[in-house]
């Protein structure tokens, strides 16, 4: 638990030790400048003690410190609180880098503190890009196999998680209905597809028509059946799709998304394979609107002299 | 050995080795060689007032510089492009030969053979493939050039087509009197294999020594590319050139059977020519092929003789039925579009298809096409649905196909698709091994459509 305590102290140095400049004078060996990486291995215990422990022989008597040195090695970065925090997290990650990890989809679901909450911890303005750096490290730490996750890491992650409010967030667990149908919706461009997926022998009906009549282009048909083909389930499920709006391509790709979602209701373990195949990510792009003064969305009229 | 002195120009000072790079020597200039403008030739002065005499002299003698007439050689000779477009390659020696049974006439209507591939008969002295080629039963874009020899899949629909032929064969074998005419229309989605079914029917009919009359593409009859004339007695528009072509094909494909047909009576061809009773039909057609004016009469003689007892069975086919269900591109004297049914050849075929006329023993087959603009009247007639009285459909289309059996050509079943895919694999055009996963994928993506199945087997997954 000592290590945990160390980490907490280091993370919250900014909070606990408000004074940025310590009156304490560093005792430094002559000819051995303070390496910027050196302090990371140090604890918050006074530097002199750390040095004494690293040497077996007692240190020779040195002259008393003659100038003020900042406590934090990040003092000159401009936002020392943030960088102390980041460096501490990076150290934590480096020490646990070799631990086995699990896939991000399987990692325990956590909600990190928002950027505003993080700013409250740090007590300084934090840019979103810097906040994202921290979140990336936290995500990586969260992917350490929960069975062997060190207590230190657990405690550290707990500092950054938002308290879970069961009342606020209730995700409806989708299941197969009593007819064995999985129902899902997919959208692409302006098309909306509603899909019922049942176990069967590989028949596909789109808007009541056989797929060959609805999508006469091979490419579209391949798009529709892609989640089933890529998971080798093309002859295991029957698809009944109702698709509205948009054009052929949009309709086909809306069906892709809906079938992939419905397939995950039947077999949640297929999530990785479907993500690899690009069937999980929603393509939310739409046609950009035309603006007044423009010829199209972005195009401007040609310049004329008068 | 050619002396190197011949390579060089006489003015060249030294021998240049052909392989060595030639030294480029230029006089000193600050102008890049290509951007320098050529020197202007010294023409007459621009001001005409300066020397009027000279100008008069010039106006008397106007020198027109003759341009050399360049005869540019055309990229293609006349008809060469059409020939390239229509060329049909039926074998590929680079493909792996696949040992398959031959599609013989005793397979007609055999249900057990469904799902297997069969090669078209092409043994020693067997001319079936040549005769089918003469009938234009093979089409481009049917992927024949990918395979060592032409082979086709025996499908459920092939069995159904075979049944039609089987009934006529049985009737013939029983020696019963009376006419038997089997009429059917092959209808289905795009690329579902209607034309191949016609080809299979023709293969059997030729093997049985029937008379095969085939209109390979009905579109050729209605697009207004050939001459036409009005015949007053029948109120039909004759297309003599097209008829001559048709007779030519019939003659090439059925020479042996036509030789055996003797005329039951004398006929008059055109105004002068006459064929006597007892002449062979082959002679009639040979005469008619040489003279387009006789073609229509000869065609009628052929059809008339095939309707008489004792004549051999006949197979009359037409591909792309949709094309003769829309107004033709021909115009009458008042510049109105001529209805396709008023053209003599389509009219004759539809008379047989609807049962107004008939062979003594015969099968009439038509196949629809997907590459045609909307033919609502034909679609309604094929679906046998009630027509909304406010729908303005062509009233002549429905009765023209009345009574014909409609054979729905569906997607391939899994067994048929497996047989076809194994054949592709053995022929070496499909690289993946046909395991269950590959098969399911290709079958699902192609939805059992033969044309798309070929496409999915051939291309790589993207």
């Amino acid at each position: 638990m000592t290590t945990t305590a160390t980490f907490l102290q280091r993370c919250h140095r900014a909070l606990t030790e408000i004074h940025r400049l310590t009156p304490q004078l560093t005792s430094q060996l002559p000819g051995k400048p303070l390496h910027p990486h050196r302090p990371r291995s140090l604890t918050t215990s006074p530097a002199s003690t750390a040095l004494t422990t690293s040497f077996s022989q007692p240190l020779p008597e040195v002259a008393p410190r003659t100038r003020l040195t900042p406590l934090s090695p990040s003092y000159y970065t401009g936002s020392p609180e943030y960088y102390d925090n980041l460096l501490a997290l990076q150290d934590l990650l480096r020490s646990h880098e070799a631990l086995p990890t699990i896939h991000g989809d399987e990692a325990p679901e956590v909600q990190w503190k928002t950027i505003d909450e993080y700013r409250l911890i740090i007590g300084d303005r934090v840019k979103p890009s810097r906040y994202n750096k921290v979140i990336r490290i936290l995500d990586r730490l969260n992917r350490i196999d929960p069975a062997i996750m060190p207590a230190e890491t657990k405690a550290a992650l707990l500092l950054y998680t938002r308290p879970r409010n069961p009342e606020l967030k209730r995700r409806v667990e989708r299941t197969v209905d009593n007819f064995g149908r999985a129902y899902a919706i997919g959208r692409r461009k302006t098309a909306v597809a509603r899909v019922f997926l049942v176990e069967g022998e590989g028949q596909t009906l789109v808007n009541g028509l056989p797929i060959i009549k609805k999508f006469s282009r091979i490419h579209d048909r391949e798009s529709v059946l892609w989640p089933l083909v890529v998971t080798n389930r093309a002859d295991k499920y029957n698809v009944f799709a109702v698709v509205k709006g948009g054009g052929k391509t949009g309709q086909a790709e809306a069906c892709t998304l809906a079938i992939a979602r419905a397939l995950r209701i039947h077999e949640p373990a297929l999530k990785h394979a479907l993500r690899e195949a690009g069937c999980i990510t929603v393509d939310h792009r739409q046609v950009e609107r035309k603006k007044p003064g423009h010829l199209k969305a972005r195009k401007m009229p040609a310049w004329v002299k008068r | 050995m050619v002396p190197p002195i011949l390579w060089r120009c006489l003015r060249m000072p030294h021998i240049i080795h052909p392989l060595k790079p030639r030294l480029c020597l230029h006089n000193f200039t600050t102008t890049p060689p290509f951007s320098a403008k050529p020197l202007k030739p010294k023409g007459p002065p621009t001001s005409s007032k300066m020397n009027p005499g000279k100008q008069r002299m010039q106006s008397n003698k106007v020198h027109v510089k003759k341009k050399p007439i360049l005869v540019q050689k055309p990229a293609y000779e006349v008809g060469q492009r059409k020939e390239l477009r229509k060329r049909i390659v039926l074998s590929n020696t680079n493909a792996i030969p696949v040992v398959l049974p031959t599609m013989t006439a005793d397979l007609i209507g055999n249900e057990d053979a469904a799902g297997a591939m069969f090669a078209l008969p092409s043994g020693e002295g067997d001319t079936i493939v040549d005769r089918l080629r003469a009938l234009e039963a093979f089409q481009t874009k049917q992927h024949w050039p990918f395979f060592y020899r032409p082979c086709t899949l025996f499908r459920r629909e092939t069995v159904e087509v075979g049944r039609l032929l089987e009934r006529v064969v049985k009737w013939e074998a029983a020696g019963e009197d009376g006419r038997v005419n089997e009429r059917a229309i092959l209808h289905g989605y795009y690329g579902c294999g209607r034309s191949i079914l016609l080809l299979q029917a023709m293969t059997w009919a030729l093997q049985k020594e029937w008379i095969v009359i085939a209109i390979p593409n009905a579109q050729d009859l209605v697009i207004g590319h050939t001459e036409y004339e009005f015949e007053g007695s029948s109120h039909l528009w004759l297309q003599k050139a097209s008829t001559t072509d048709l007779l030519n094909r019939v003659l090439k494909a059925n020479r042996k059977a036509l030789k055996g047909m003797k005329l039951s009576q004398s006929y008059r061809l055109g105004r002068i020519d006459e064929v006597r009773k007892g002449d062979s039909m082959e002679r009639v057609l040979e005469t008619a092929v040489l003279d387009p004016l006789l073609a229509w009469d000869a065609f009628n003689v052929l059809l008339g003789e095939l309707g008489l007892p004792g004549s051999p069975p006949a197979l009359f086919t037409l591909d792309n039925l949709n094309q003769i269900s829309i107004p033709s591109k021909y115009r009458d004297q008042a510049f109105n579009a001529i209805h396709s049914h008023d053209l003599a050849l389509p009219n004759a075929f539809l008379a047989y298809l609807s049962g107004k006329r008939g062979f003594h023993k015969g099968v009439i087959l038509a196949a629809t096409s997907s590459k045609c603009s909307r033919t609502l009247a034909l679609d309604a007639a094929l679906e046998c649905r009630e027509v909304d009285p406010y729908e303005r459909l062509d009233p002549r289309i429905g009765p023209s196909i009345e009574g014909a059996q409609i054979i729905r050509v569906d997607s391939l079943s899994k067994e048929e698709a497996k047989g076809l895919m194994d054949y592709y694999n053995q022929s070496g055009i499909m690289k993946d091994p046909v395991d269950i996963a590959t098969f399911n994928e290709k079958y699902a993506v192609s939805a059992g459509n033969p044309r798309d199945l070929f496409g999915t087997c051939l291309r790589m997954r993207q």
Side-chain angles (χ1 to χ4, degrees), chain B residues 21-50:
Chain B
R22 216 162 74 184
L23 281 174
C24 276
L25 294 176
H26 295 296
N27 294 328
F28 175 74
T29 170
T30 52
T31 319
F34 293 107
S35 59
K37 283 182 185 171
L39 286 174
K40 272 189 181 173
K42 280 178 183 172
T46 46
S47 165
S48 57
K49 287 174 185 171
M50 295 297 286

Short mmCIF file of all heavy atoms in Angstrom, two decimals, chain B residues 21-50:
data_model
loop_
_atom_site.label_atom_id
_atom_site.label_comp_id
_atom_site.label_asym_id
_atom_site.label_seq_id
_atom_site.Cartn_x
_atom_site.Cartn_y
_atom_site.Cartn_z
N PRO B 21 25.33 6.29 -78.01
CA PRO B 21 24.59 7.55 -78.04
C PRO B 21 25.32 8.58 -78.89
O PRO B 21 26.55 8.67 -78.87
CB PRO B 21 24.54 7.96 -76.57
CG PRO B 21 25.66 7.24 -75.94
CD PRO B 21 25.85 5.96 -76.70
N ARG B 22 24.52 9.28 -79.68
CA ARG B 22 25.13 10.24 -80.59
C ARG B 22 25.42 11.53 -79.86
O ARG B 22 24.61 11.97 -79.04
CB ARG B 22 24.16 10.50 -81.74
CG ARG B 22 24.88 10.69 -83.06
CD ARG B 22 23.94 10.51 -84.18
NE ARG B 22 23.03 11.64 -84.32
CZ ARG B 22 22.06 11.67 -85.21
NH1 ARG B 22 21.86 10.64 -85.99
NH2 ARG B 22 21.29 12.70 -85.32
N LEU B 23 26.53 12.08 -80.16
CA LEU B 23 26.86 13.36 -79.52
C LEU B 23 26.01 14.46 -80.12
O LEU B 23 25.84 14.55 -81.33
CB LEU B 23 28.33 13.68 -79.76
CG LEU B 23 29.32 12.94 -78.87
CD1 LEU B 23 30.73 13.24 -79.33
CD2 LEU B 23 29.14 13.34 -77.42
N CYS B 24 25.44 15.26 -79.25
CA CYS B 24 24.63 16.37 -79.74
C CYS B 24 25.49 17.62 -79.77
O CYS B 24 25.92 18.10 -78.72
CB CYS B 24 23.43 16.59 -78.83
SG CYS B 24 22.09 15.51 -79.24
N LEU B 25 25.73 18.11 -80.93
CA LEU B 25 26.55 19.30 -81.06
C LEU B 25 25.68 20.45 -81.52
O LEU B 25 24.93 20.32 -82.48
CB LEU B 25 27.68 19.06 -82.06
CG LEU B 25 28.71 18.01 -81.63
CD1 LEU B 25 29.70 17.80 -82.74
CD2 LEU B 25 29.41 18.45 -80.36
N HIS B 26 25.72 21.52 -80.79
CA HIS B 26 24.96 22.70 -81.18
C HIS B 26 25.89 23.88 -81.23
O HIS B 26 26.85 23.95 -80.47
CB HIS B 26 23.86 22.99 -80.16
CG HIS B 26 22.81 21.94 -80.10
ND1 HIS B 26 21.99 21.64 -81.15
CD2 HIS B 26 22.48 21.07 -79.11
CE1 HIS B 26 21.20 20.66 -80.81
NE2 HIS B 26 21.47 20.28 -79.59
N ASN B 27 25.55 24.81 -82.09
CA ASN B 27 26.23 26.08 -82.02
C ASN B 27 25.77 26.82 -80.79
O ASN B 27 24.68 26.59 -80.29
CB ASN B 27 25.90 26.92 -83.26
CG ASN B 27 26.46 26.28 -84.49
OD1 ASN B 27 27.50 25.63 -84.42
ND2 ASN B 27 25.78 26.45 -85.60
N PHE B 28 26.58 27.73 -80.34
CA PHE B 28 26.23 28.44 -79.12
C PHE B 28 25.03 29.35 -79.37
O PHE B 28 24.99 30.10 -80.34
CB PHE B 28 27.42 29.27 -78.63
CG PHE B 28 27.04 30.10 -77.45
CD1 PHE B 28 26.85 29.53 -76.20
CD2 PHE B 28 26.80 31.46 -77.60
CE1 PHE B 28 26.46 30.30 -75.13
CE2 PHE B 28 26.43 32.21 -76.52
CZ PHE B 28 26.26 31.65 -75.28
N THR B 29 24.04 29.23 -78.53
CA THR B 29 22.89 30.12 -78.59
C THR B 29 22.29 30.22 -77.21
O THR B 29 22.38 29.28 -76.42
CB THR B 29 21.84 29.61 -79.59
OG1 THR B 29 20.68 30.39 -79.43
CG2 THR B 29 21.49 28.17 -79.39
N THR B 30 21.68 31.37 -76.94
CA THR B 30 21.03 31.50 -75.64
C THR B 30 19.58 31.09 -75.69
O THR B 30 18.91 31.03 -74.69
CB THR B 30 21.10 32.95 -75.15
OG1 THR B 30 20.62 33.78 -76.19
CG2 THR B 30 22.50 33.33 -74.77
N THR B 31 19.07 30.84 -76.91
CA THR B 31 17.67 30.46 -77.05
C THR B 31 17.54 28.94 -76.98
O THR B 31 18.29 28.24 -77.65
CB THR B 31 17.13 30.93 -78.41
OG1 THR B 31 17.64 32.22 -78.65
CG2 THR B 31 15.63 30.92 -78.44
N PRO B 32 16.62 28.48 -76.22
CA PRO B 32 16.42 27.04 -76.23
C PRO B 32 15.96 26.60 -77.63
O PRO B 32 15.21 27.32 -78.28
CB PRO B 32 15.31 26.82 -75.20
CG PRO B 32 15.18 28.08 -74.46
CD PRO B 32 15.75 29.17 -75.30
N PRO B 33 16.40 25.46 -78.08
CA PRO B 33 16.14 25.06 -79.47
C PRO B 33 14.67 24.93 -79.81
O PRO B 33 14.25 25.24 -80.91
CB PRO B 33 16.86 23.73 -79.59
CG PRO B 33 17.07 23.26 -78.20
CD PRO B 33 17.17 24.46 -77.36
N PHE B 34 13.83 24.50 -78.87
CA PHE B 34 12.44 24.25 -79.25
C PHE B 34 11.59 25.50 -79.16
O PHE B 34 10.58 25.62 -79.81
CB PHE B 34 11.85 23.15 -78.37
CG PHE B 34 12.49 21.84 -78.64
CD1 PHE B 34 13.36 21.27 -77.75
CD2 PHE B 34 12.23 21.20 -79.84
CE1 PHE B 34 13.97 20.07 -78.03
CE2 PHE B 34 12.83 19.99 -80.11
CZ PHE B 34 13.71 19.42 -79.22
N SER B 35 12.01 26.43 -78.29
CA SER B 35 11.18 27.61 -78.15
C SER B 35 11.52 28.68 -79.18
O SER B 35 10.81 29.66 -79.30
CB SER B 35 11.34 28.18 -76.75
OG SER B 35 12.69 28.51 -76.54
N ALA B 36 12.60 28.47 -79.93
CA ALA B 36 12.96 29.47 -80.93
C ALA B 36 11.95 29.45 -82.07
O ALA B 36 11.57 28.39 -82.54
CB ALA B 36 14.35 29.18 -81.47
N LYS B 37 11.49 30.62 -82.46
CA LYS B 37 10.52 30.68 -83.55
C LYS B 37 11.24 30.51 -84.88
O LYS B 37 12.37 30.97 -85.04
CB LYS B 37 9.81 32.03 -83.53
CG LYS B 37 8.75 32.13 -82.45
CD LYS B 37 8.07 33.46 -82.54
CE LYS B 37 7.10 33.63 -81.38
NZ LYS B 37 6.58 34.97 -81.30
N PRO B 38 10.60 29.86 -85.82
CA PRO B 38 11.25 29.77 -87.13
C PRO B 38 11.30 31.15 -87.79
O PRO B 38 10.45 32.01 -87.55
CB PRO B 38 10.34 28.81 -87.89
CG PRO B 38 9.03 28.88 -87.20
CD PRO B 38 9.33 29.18 -85.77
N LEU B 39 12.28 31.34 -88.62
CA LEU B 39 12.43 32.64 -89.29
C LEU B 39 11.27 32.89 -90.23
O LEU B 39 10.79 31.96 -90.90
CB LEU B 39 13.73 32.64 -90.07
CG LEU B 39 15.00 32.76 -89.23
CD1 LEU B 39 16.21 32.62 -90.11
CD2 LEU B 39 15.01 34.11 -88.51
N LYS B 40 10.82 34.13 -90.24
CA LYS B 40 9.71 34.45 -91.14
C LYS B 40 10.21 34.51 -92.58
O LYS B 40 11.27 35.10 -92.85
CB LYS B 40 9.12 35.82 -90.77
CG LYS B 40 8.03 35.72 -89.72
CD LYS B 40 7.35 37.05 -89.57
CE LYS B 40 6.27 36.97 -88.51
NZ LYS B 40 5.72 38.28 -88.25
N PRO B 41 9.48 33.88 -93.49
CA PRO B 41 9.91 34.00 -94.88
C PRO B 41 9.71 35.44 -95.36
O PRO B 41 8.79 36.14 -94.91
CB PRO B 41 9.00 33.03 -95.60
CG PRO B 41 7.82 32.89 -94.73
CD PRO B 41 8.30 33.08 -93.33
N LYS B 42 10.56 35.85 -96.24
CA LYS B 42 10.47 37.23 -96.71
C LYS B 42 9.33 37.35 -97.72
O LYS B 42 9.46 37.00 -98.88
CB LYS B 42 11.78 37.64 -97.34
CG LYS B 42 12.81 38.02 -96.28
CD LYS B 42 14.12 38.39 -96.91
CE LYS B 42 15.14 38.69 -95.84
NZ LYS B 42 16.48 38.88 -96.42
N GLY B 43 8.20 37.80 -97.27
CA GLY B 43 7.04 37.92 -98.14
C GLY B 43 7.00 39.31 -98.76
O GLY B 43 7.94 40.10 -98.62
N PRO B 44 5.92 39.63 -99.46
CA PRO B 44 5.77 40.96 -100.04
C PRO B 44 5.60 41.98 -98.94
O PRO B 44 5.11 41.65 -97.85
CB PRO B 44 4.51 40.83 -100.88
CG PRO B 44 3.76 39.69 -100.27
CD PRO B 44 4.79 38.77 -99.72
N PRO B 45 5.96 43.21 -99.15
CA PRO B 45 5.79 44.23 -98.13
C PRO B 45 4.31 44.43 -97.83
O PRO B 45 3.45 44.26 -98.70
CB PRO B 45 6.41 45.48 -98.76
CG PRO B 45 6.46 45.20 -100.20
CD PRO B 45 6.62 43.73 -100.35
N THR B 46 4.03 44.80 -96.59
CA THR B 46 2.63 44.90 -96.16
C THR B 46 1.93 46.08 -96.83
O THR B 46 0.74 46.02 -97.12
CB THR B 46 2.56 45.06 -94.64
OG1 THR B 46 3.52 46.03 -94.26
CG2 THR B 46 2.86 43.75 -93.95
N SER B 47 2.66 47.14 -97.07
CA SER B 47 2.02 48.30 -97.66
C SER B 47 1.85 48.11 -99.16
O SER B 47 2.82 47.88 -99.89
CB SER B 47 2.87 49.54 -97.37
OG SER B 47 2.46 50.57 -98.21
N SER B 48 0.58 48.18 -99.62
CA SER B 48 0.32 47.93 -101.04
C SER B 48 0.57 49.16 -101.90
O SER B 48 0.66 49.09 -103.10
CB SER B 48 -1.13 47.47 -101.21
OG SER B 48 -1.97 48.45 -100.68
N LYS B 49 0.65 50.35 -101.25
CA LYS B 49 0.81 51.58 -102.04
C LYS B 49 2.23 51.72 -102.59
O LYS B 49 2.50 52.49 -103.48
CB LYS B 49 0.49 52.79 -101.18
CG LYS B 49 -1.00 52.93 -100.90
CD LYS B 49 -1.24 54.06 -99.93
CE LYS B 49 -2.70 54.12 -99.57
NZ LYS B 49 -2.92 55.07 -98.48
N MET B 50 3.12 51.02 -101.99
CA MET B 50 4.52 51.23 -102.33
C MET B 50 4.83 50.79 -103.77
O MET B 50 5.40 51.51 -104.54
CB MET B 50 5.43 50.47 -101.35
CG MET B 50 5.34 50.98 -99.93
SD MET B 50 5.90 52.66 -99.78
CE MET B 50 7.65 52.47 -99.93
#
